[in-house]
Amino acid sequence: MVLDVLGLSRRESAAYRALVSMASAAPAELAGQVGGDEGEAAHLLGVLEGKGLAARSVGDIARFVASPPATAFGALLLQRQNELRLAELELGSLTELYRAASAGRGVAEVVDVIVGAAALRQRLEQLQLGARSEVMTFVKAPVAIISGAENTAEDAAVARGVRYRVLLERTMLDEDVDIDGLVAARNAGEEIRMTERLPLKLFIVDREIAIVPLIRSSDVATTGALLVHESGLLDALIALFELEWAAAMEVTTSTDDFSGTGVDDLDVQILTLLLTGLTDQAVAGHLRTSLRTVQRRVRRLMDLARVQTRMQLGYQAARRGWLAGEAAHR
């Protein structure tokens, strides 16, 4: 990994590692260690020599010895550090220029158009990788650009501490989202809520820029999106998100926040899915269990809550804190 970061290819890294472990090596001997033929090994040794990572043996110029790692890479590390400092300065300068230009945008420049699925996918990835504090998103069917499993940029952003608030339309449970994905996302730190219907797809990053995908069919060839910069329109989209978020039901998948109640993770997941409007049969399908198990669990929860109807059960579940998110709303 260190060698890759310092600009060596995988083959060059392998050659240097092999050479470090040997007193000296001729091309044929190195080829035996890293694979390939003698000619390729000779080329790799030449590359390493050119980068100061290898030198000819004093006793036999046909043989090579590795330069000491601390000495060889000290200069490369210093060079990379200087390059990073210069990149940071350039980034700061570009950011200031961008903000100044954004402040002077005219009406026609508030919204840009993204054309094509590939361009939209690339822009979504760029925005997530560059997110600093928060991503807010409406997710509704159809999934035509990038699925949750493919969105590795989201995982990377969450891992470095970016807050993700994801509002799902209930139909996503039938298309792209399963209970395992919800559990994994919640465990990673994402906040997830669900609602019956969303007015549009929406993606907002750091409250500074938004993407509104325009997809009317499954034909990704005609896919496009609006890229909305800071403006009254962006403020309206943020307000729309907050309004829908406040009215949605939080998805709870575990009892970590309220253990000791006699309710386990499966109970919580059953309650959460039932409260989204799914039937017992649909809940059983999503949880990969039997209809009998779902009904038995619901009956036990009703007994535990001392209620007679499912409507009463939903109220008592929120009141007793069995659904952590619902309890937090009160």
Side-chain angles (χ1 to χ4, degrees), residues 44 61 171 197 201:
L44 287 170
I61 60 172
T171 53
R197 190 174 300 279
K201 296 185 176 186

Side-chain angles (χ1 to χ4, degrees), residues 257-273:
D257 298 326
F258 48 96
S259 58
T261 60
V263 178
D264 62 19
D265 289 357
L266 182 56
D267 291 329
V268 169
Q269 292 166 15
I270 289 173
L271 280 171
T272 296
L273 293 176

Side-chain angles (χ1 to χ4, degrees), residues 38-61:
E38 184 175 345
E40 183 187 6
H43 172 72
L44 287 170
L45 287 169
V47 171
L48 294 179
E49 183 182 20
K51 293 185 176 182
L53 301 178
R56 306 258 178 182
S57 175
V58 175
D60 184 353
I61 60 172

Side-chain angles (χ1 to χ4, degrees), residues 182-197:
L182 291 175
V183 171
R186 286 266 304 170
N187 289 344
E190 293 188 30
E191 301 170 44
I192 304 173
R193 295 187 185 179
M194 194 169 298
T195 190
E196 180 64 23
R197 190 174 300 279

Side-chain angles (χ1 to χ4, degrees), residues 271 275 305 312-323 326-327:
L271 280 171
L275 288 173
Q312 291 174 314
L313 175 61
Y315 172 77
Q316 288 295 332
R319 182 173 177 273
R320 292 165 181 256
W322 293 351
L323 300 175
E326 297 302 311

Side-chain angles (χ1 to χ4, degrees), residues 6 14 20 35 50 64 66 99 105 123 127 129 158 163 173 177 191 211 224 237 247 278 288 309 311 314 318:
L6 291 174
V20 165
F64 291 78
R99 286 177 177 168
R105 285 179 183 271
R123 186 57 65 95
L127 288 176
L129 292 175
V158 172
R163 182 189 185 192
L173 288 172
V177 177
E191 301 170 44
I211 287 182
L237 291 173
L278 294 181
R288 293 184 288 278
T309 68
M311 182 178 292

